[in-house]
Amino acid sequence: MKPLDHLEHLDKHLVDELAQVARETVRDELREQTRKQRRKAALYAASGALALYAGAALALAVGLALALGLPDWAAALITAVILGALAYVLRGMARPHRPGPEHAAGMAPGGDGARQTAAGAVGGAPYPPVPPAPAGGTAAPGPVPPRPTRAPDVPHRGV
């Protein structure tokens, strides 16, 4: 028997015990994080439900105010049109905008395109702008073939 054989058993036991402690620590941390996230999600859900009821009460108040001077059906119709218009505007604000000519040129509206980064671009693309010319001002790699003087699809006789 070698003199270090009995230490192998201790090493294996120590590694197993260390792995068990690490697993328990990670599990406890994840439980704590999920508990906090669950509480935060419940608060967001409650605030959303209350905002929904507040919006309904506001729509009812607008409808009742309009009903003082209009027939009930007209007040309800006007309230529905107002709510529909607001929903349309909010939907348009939530959708990403199509890139305009400024974006095609690599420039962000109102600033230098080279200074903006992916994190700093507000309302822009999720990536930095591409410079219009290769870096260093060098020409494109490889030779560029000359442009034909005649249209390629027009037959011509040897000249």
Side-chain angles (χ1 to χ4, degrees), residues 4 7 11 35 40 59 72 77 83 86 89 91 107 116 134 138 149 157:
L4 298 178
L7 292 179
D11 286 345
R35 186 176 302 126
K40 194 181 293 188
D72 292 342
L77 183 63
L83 289 174
L86 285 173
V89 168
R91 186 190 77 172
M107 299 292 288
Q116 291 195 357
T138 61
T149 56
R157 302 197 187 259

Side-chain angles (χ1 to χ4, degrees), residues 90-149:
L90 289 176
R91 186 190 77 172
M93 290 173 61
R95 284 189 173 181
H97 298 288
R98 288 189 172 175
E102 301 91 18
H103 185 268
M107 299 292 288
D112 181 15
R115 289 186 292 158
Q116 291 195 357
T117 62
V122 177
Y127 49 86
V130 177
T138 61
V144 177
R147 190 172 213 178
T149 56

Side-chain angles (χ1 to χ4, degrees), residues 38-56:
R38 237 184 281 133
R39 182 175 186 271
K40 194 181 293 188
L43 290 173
Y44 274 120
S47 69
L50 289 176
L52 180 66
Y53 284 118

Side-chain angles (χ1 to χ4, degrees), residues 4 8 15-16 19 23 30 57 62 73 80-81 89 93-94 96 106-107 112 114 122 124 132 136-137 143:
L4 298 178
E8 287 181 19
V15 167
D16 290 342
R23 278 193 297 268
L30 287 176
V62 168
W73 64 268
V81 168
V89 168
M93 290 173 61
M107 299 292 288
D112 181 15
V122 177

Side-chain angles (χ1 to χ4, degrees), residues 18-35:
L18 185 61
Q20 180 67 26
V21 168
R23 278 193 297 268
E24 289 174 2
T25 304
V26 169
R27 189 178 301 131
D28 290 342
E29 287 180 19
L30 287 176
R31 277 190 188 131
E32 183 65 27
Q33 287 178 359
T34 55
R35 186 176 302 126

